[in-house]
């Protein structure tokens, strides 16, 4: 009989890819949904890619902000993969909009797992929980943590950091065997047209929305590699109690734009870097731009050495992940030709 894995937020961009990896590896997957009417959407996204020996996909209705349904969702499962968390394009005016559901939701889900005797947990965190802005332009790794007390730390970074810290505290207190996967900017091809805000940056570049680009960059990873790392974490007991950065390398905005311009030369994709004073002026009118001000002038870099050495990961290159995203968006008409 196949093991059953509870996968939270199964309708998400990353979660669908994780579900596909788990199912094709022979696991049964019980995916949680806040809205049960999305079950058909998720099933339709996965079915074309399932192998002959794939596990069974079922669903459970739950909400990160409610206790209802979690005990039932945990019944009979051997492991929990917790991916569900809010992910914004622009930072909200009220940080609690992100922080509260991320932290309380993680606490609720992990405590429900412990109560049900489910001790194996893989948590999707983020490199924003790793990157410490007091050490700009340095290569950071799993020993580093975001400083949530810095005034420049975004609500999203706080939400992911506090949620991950809460997970580690609960794991220690309740005897959970926890692994965290900390992805950078997740690119790559979606499995369907419901991919949330993850590819919003690539859409913005392809549409030429900005005349010039801010001087900054960040770690990038392909969604297929993120999913593979969740699978390997479950399959390898030696990953328990450890964090793993999921990143193939870093790219500056301008390098991303030039890569896309080379692939789509007829598109009006900006390739010039904007002076910082112009970006700060634009941020007065655009909340998406305002959210990146603390990172201006910096290339965020993280080490993937642990994932390579301990998980045997061979990452898809950042440029390849970027182009896979763009190709999918163009092919599916998400940006005008």
């Amino acid at each position: 009989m196949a093991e059953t894995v509870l996968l939270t937020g199964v309708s998400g961009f990353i979660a669908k890819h994780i579900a596909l990896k788990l199912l094709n590896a022979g696991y049964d997957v019980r995916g949680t949904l806040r809205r049960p009417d999305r079950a058909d959407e998720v099933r339709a996204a996965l079915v074309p890619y399932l192998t002959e020996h794939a596990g069974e996909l079922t669903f459970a209705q739950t909400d990160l902000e409610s206790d209802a349904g979690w005990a039932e969702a945990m019944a009979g499962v051997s492991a929990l993969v917790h991916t569900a968390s809010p992910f914004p394009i622009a930072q909200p005016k009220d940080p609690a909009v992100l922080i509260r559901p991320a932290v309380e939701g993680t606490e609720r889900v992990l405590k429900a797992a412990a109560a049900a005797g489910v001790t194996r947990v893989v948590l999707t965190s983020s490199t924003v929980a790793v990157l410490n802005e007091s050490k700009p332009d340095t290569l950071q790794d799993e020993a580093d943590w975001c400083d949530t007390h810095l005034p420049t730390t975004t609500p999203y970074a706080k939400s992911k950091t506090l949620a991950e810290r809460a997970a580690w505290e609960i794991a220690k207190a309740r005897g959970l065997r926890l692994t965290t996967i900390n992805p950078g900017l997740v690119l790559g091809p979606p499995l369907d047209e419901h991919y949330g805000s993850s590819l919003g940056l690539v859409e913005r570049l392809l549409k030429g929305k900005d005349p010039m680009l801010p001087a900054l960059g960040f770690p990038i990873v392909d969604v297929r590699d993120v999913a593979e790392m969740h699978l390997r974490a479950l399959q390898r007991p030696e990953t328990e109690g450890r964090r793993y950065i999921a990143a193939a390398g870093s790219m500056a905005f301008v390098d991303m734009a030039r890569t896309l311009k080379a692939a789509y030369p007829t598109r009006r994709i900006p390739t010039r870097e904007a002076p910082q004073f112009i970006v700060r002026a634009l941020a007065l009118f655009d909340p998406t731009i305002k959210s990146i001000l603390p990172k201006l002038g910096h290339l965020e870099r993280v080490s993937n050495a642990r994932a390579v050495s301990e998980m045997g990961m061979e990452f898809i290159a950042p440029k390849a992940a970027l182009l896979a995203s763009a190709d999918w968006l163009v092919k599916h008409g998400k940006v005008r030709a």
Side-chain angles (χ1 to χ4, degrees):
M1 184 175 176
E3 292 183 44
T4 300
V5 176
L6 183 68
L7 175 60
T8 68
V10 70
S11 62
F13 170 49
I14 297 173
K16 285 194 189 89
H17 275 274
I18 295 173
L20 181 62
K21 285 281 187 181
L22 292 173
L23 290 165
N24 282 341
Y27 292 94
D28 289 339
V29 173
R30 183 180 301 157
T32 73
L33 291 167
R34 194 160 48 91
R35 288 173 39 201
D37 60 347
R38 296 193 68 181
D40 288 343
E41 166 205 316
V42 174
R43 198 179 297 279
L46 296 175
V47 164
Y49 305 97
L50 293 176
T51 63
E52 182 182 352
H53 302 291
E56 182 184 1
L57 175 64
T58 57
F59 299 94
Q61 184 179 5
T62 59
D63 190 318
L64 290 179
E65 300 188 65
S66 170
D67 290 333
W70 286 107
E72 294 81 1
M74 294 287 175
V77 307
S78 61
L80 163 69
V81 177
H82 180 43
T83 74
S85 187
F87 179 76
I89 292 180
Q91 299 298 322
K93 291 181 180 179
D94 180 6
V97 170
L98 280 178
I99 295 170
R100 185 174 54 78
V103 176
E104 293 182 3
T106 295
E107 292 174 342
R108 175 172 284 112
V109 175
L110 266 64
K111 287 177 180 178
V118 180
T119 60
R120 185 66 178 110
V121 180
V122 179
L123 172 75
T124 312
S125 185
S126 171
T127 53
V128 299
V130 170
L131 288 160
N132 188 326
E133 290 186 3
S134 67
K135 302 195 299 182
D137 303 314
T138 61
L139 185 68
Q140 301 190 49
D141 62 22
E142 288 87 354
D144 291 295
W145 281 89
C146 166
D147 185 347
T148 58
H149 299 293
L150 291 176
T152 54
T153 301
T154 64
Y156 177 64
K158 286 182 181 179
S159 76
K160 297 301 288 188
T161 305
L162 295 174
E164 188 186 338
R165 285 203 178 275
W168 285 115
E169 289 172 6
I170 293 168
K172 183 178 180 180
R174 302 290 184 97
L176 302 180
R177 297 172 293 131
L178 174 65
T179 304
T180 67
I181 308 298
N182 297 67
L185 175 67
V186 182
L187 301 180
L191 292 178
D192 65 3
E193 298 193 3
H194 303 276
Y195 50 85
S197 54
S198 296
L199 300 188
L201 177 60
V202 184
E203 284 189 37
R204 191 178 182 111
L205 289 171
L206 287 170
K207 290 177 180 177
K209 185 172 181 180
D210 308 296
M212 290 183 285
L213 302 165
L216 58 86
F218 23 72
I220 290 173
V221 65
D222 192 287
V223 66
R224 293 163 289 186
D225 285 338
V226 177
E228 180 65 24
M229 286 180 68
H230 283 75
L231 173 62
R232 293 189 188 189
L234 274 184
Q235 293 175 329
R236 302 183 185 204
E238 63 270 23
T239 66
E240 295 168 9
R242 295 175 76 72
R243 309 169 86 196
Y244 289 89
I245 288 171
S250 296
M251 286 186 78
F253 246 125
V254 69
D255 291 328
M256 295 175 69
R258 288 169 182 167
T259 298
L260 292 174
K261 183 66 174 176
Y264 300 96
T266 61
R267 287 188 170 274
R268 298 180 62 182
I269 299 171
T271 56
R272 289 188 301 159
E273 202 163 76
Q276 292 193 24
F277 76 90
I278 291 180
V279 178
R280 295 185 187 281
L282 291 172
L284 297 173
F285 309 98
D286 190 328
T288 304
I289 296 175
K290 184 179 179 180
S291 69
I292 55 115
L293 288 182
K295 304 180 186 302
L296 268 184
H298 302 299
L299 178 66
E300 297 177 340
R301 297 186 302 123
V302 291
S303 171
N304 63 14
R306 179 177 288 179
V308 171
S309 63
E310 296 184 11
M311 285 188 174
M313 288 299 299
E314 296 180 7
F315 287 98
I316 296 166
K319 284 187 177 181
L322 172 64
L323 290 173
S325 306
D327 291 348
W328 190 96
L329 290 168
V330 171
K331 180 181 177 181
H332 290 82
K334 298 303 177 181
V335 289
R336 284 183 291 181

